[in-house]
Amino acid sequence: ALQTWPNVEVVLVNAKGPGHRALGATWGRLPLRVVSTGASVARSRAANLGLEAARGEYLMFLDDDDWFEPGHVAKLVDALRRQPEFRVAYTGVRCFDEQGGLLPQVFLYPFDPARLLAGNLIPIHAALFHRSLLDLGCRVDESFDLYEDWDFWIQLSRHTYFVMI
């Protein structure tokens, strides 16, 4: 809700199913749309439901146990607009413990398609990608319950290099 980028659409996918608390039409100043099948859905299915419902030119994920700093979206959109040869931008991610204490682990590795095949180095909420990649058939593989984001990044990397901020 504190993003500095002016055009943010929030699509919340109710993966829990029945019993999710009611939400309003906005999240802070941002429009909020809730997508629900009426039943519990797996993480990878929830990701695809969100992708299908989103209307923006740029897309990204945010899990319920993660957050964005206020300039996160603006920084990534700006990078892609300044460098249109890239269709994915990502930035570093700091890690915190359950009490909110900063941990020493930071995810910020230079992009290398070969290295991406060897390990998942980009947390799901670190990257923003252009909608055109969905037109090429990129989707979250719903047969995965783990590392579905890593597989998704590999799919995207077959069509574009990623710019690291």
Side-chain angles (χ1 to χ4, degrees), residues 58 78-88 130 160 163:
Y58 301 103
D78 181 60
L80 291 181
R81 289 194 166 176
R82 283 186 292 108
Q83 301 171 82
E85 67 273 21
F86 296 101
R87 289 189 278 173
V88 178
H130 196 275
T160 185
V163 61

Side-chain angles (χ1 to χ4, degrees), residues 44-118:
S44 53
R45 177 69 184 134
N48 282 330
L49 289 169
L51 291 175
E52 292 164 10
R55 298 181 185 131
E57 179 180 2
Y58 301 103
L59 307 169
M60 62 191 326
F61 298 104
L62 180 64
D63 289 341
D64 61 357
D65 61 344
D66 297 322
W67 71 87
F68 296 147
E69 293 191 8
H72 185 64
V73 174
K75 176 175 28 179
L76 295 172
V77 170
D78 181 60
L80 291 181
R81 289 194 166 176
R82 283 186 292 108
Q83 301 171 82
E85 67 273 21
F86 296 101
R87 289 189 278 173
V88 178
Y90 70 100
T91 189
V93 171
R94 295 178 294 165
C95 298
F96 294 83
D97 63 25
E98 292 178 2
Q99 290 74 39
L102 185 62
L103 296 172
Q105 175 69 41
V106 175
F107 287 90
L108 184 60
Y109 303 97
F111 181 70
D112 178 344
R115 189 172 182 187
L116 182 61
L117 293 174

